Amino acid sequence: MKKKTAIFGLASILGIMVAAVMLVACSSGGYNGPVSDHFDGRQFHNQVKTHEKTVMDLLKWRFNRDQPEGAWQRVEEKASVTVPERNADGILATFINHATVLVQIGGKNILTDPVWSERVSPVSFIGPKRFHPPALAIEELPPIDAVVISHNHYDHLDLATLTQLEKHSQPVFIAGLGNRELLKGVGLTHVVELDWWQEHALGNQVVITGTPAQHWSTRTRIDHNRTLWLGYRIGDGRSQLFFAGDTGMGPHFAQIQERFGSMDLSLLPIGAYLPRWFMKDNHLSPDDALEAHYDLRSRQSMAIHFGTFNLGDDGQDTASQRLRALLEDEQHQQVHFMIPEPGGQVHQKSG
């Protein structure tokens, strides 16, 4: 079994590397701007220094990859869910898939890291394939006012989906520094770049603020950390939500709480967390996500980034089962932390 896995892993790696080389000409040149506490003039870096993963680390993992706990099984049945055109009472969050959530707040509709493609890869014929359909088709979405993009990895920045959303609603696309060229290059008309702690006023008192994250960025082998990764705080003056994007543990959760106060709802990733030696610097485990919930003093949290794409050694249900077990422990029984199926909703009313 391990030999088969190694052969498949090598084929996947070679395919993606070839695709990456082919796509070098299409990659963004990255950010050029003043030096800051997280930008050295060429590359961005985290607040907490970690071991930079190399191609050799990737090969070490892929050739020694553990069999996931439980087989991944394709689910064909689409969720049955409806959403209002607008929501003006607090926050209505609908889990679409992976890190994609429809956030309805202050009369505005915002999508996080939208991915509707069948694969998250530089090419359509190889790479991680989805195991369930999105809860809503793009045509079923209400008008979208803004799209927030946490970083440029293929399972978070999906150009095919973004171009469909441009046709659907012509929203404002908000991303970290250095991503404008890539997004404008596929025809997106309204692109805003944010640094950590910078904000964009969407209207109706809705403000979107970029926040620090513990991660990294690349779409090819020549643009490592040339664009910024971030999370987002979204508030309308009465309610506020935090979208973590993709992140490991770090001081940023406490910093966000100190700056903005307690979150009404936090969207926290829990999956693709194994093996820990490879993932822990940049991906939360379920245990980490619970700790982040406490750091943010969140009234309620929703688990994201699990069960859609096979991106780690954890099985399809490993992350959700681990978080569920944690929440059943006596010391955490008062925690409100939803583990949604596609189409799952949280309506956190203001006040």
Side-chain angles (χ1 to χ4, degrees), residues 9-10 12-14 16-17 51-65 216 221 275 277-279 311:
L10 179 60
S12 298
I13 291 165
L14 290 175
I16 290 172
M17 283 182 168
H51 168 68
E52 292 282 346
K53 301 300 186 297
T54 66
V55 172
M56 291 307 297
D57 289 322
L58 178 63
L59 292 172
K60 175 185 173 183
W61 168 41
R62 295 297 301 193
F63 277 105
N64 296 278
R65 193 173 181 184
W216 61 295
R221 295 309 305 170
W277 72 266
F278 190 82
M279 298 292 191
L311 302 171

Side-chain angles (χ1 to χ4, degrees), residues 9 47 51 80-81 101 109 150 162 169 173 176 185 190 196 200 248 258 282 294 305 349:
Q47 295 186 73
H51 168 68
S80 177
V81 60
V101 178
N109 297 328
S150 64
L162 300 185
S169 300
F173 294 89
H190 193 180
W196 292 351
H200 175 77
E258 184 177 357
N282 305 119
Y294 283 118
H305 200 275
K349 297 186 178 181

Side-chain angles (χ1 to χ4, degrees), residues 86-150:
R86 302 285 175 182
N87 166 59
D89 184 8
I91 303 165
L92 177 60
T94 304
F95 181 60
I96 306 297
N97 62 194
H98 197 50
T100 307
V101 178
L102 172 62
V103 175
Q104 298 181 277
I105 179 173
K108 297 293 184 180
N109 297 328
I110 302 163
L111 276 175
T112 67
D113 286 358
V115 174
W116 264 262
S117 290
E118 190 65 17
R119 292 186 186 271
V120 286
S121 170
V123 291
S124 61
F125 57 86
I126 198 168
K129 190 173 183 179
R130 69 168 54 253
F131 280 85
H132 63 74
L136 291 167
I138 288 179
E139 309 80 60
E140 297 175 303
L141 292 171
I144 302 301
D145 300 292
V147 171
V148 296
I149 301 163
S150 64

Side-chain angles (χ1 to χ4, degrees), residues 38 61 72 82 88 106 153 166 202 239-240 247:
H38 53 281
W61 168 41
W72 284 71
T82 58
H153 289 163
E166 172 74 15
L202 195 59
S239 302
Q240 61 178 350
T247 183

Side-chain angles (χ1 to χ4, degrees), residues 240 256-258 260-265 296-299:
Q240 61 178 350
I256 291 162
Q257 194 282 325
E258 184 177 357
F260 296 112
S262 302
M263 290 295 146
D264 294 297
L265 179 63
L296 293 160
R297 299 182 187 174
S298 192
R299 290 175 61 193

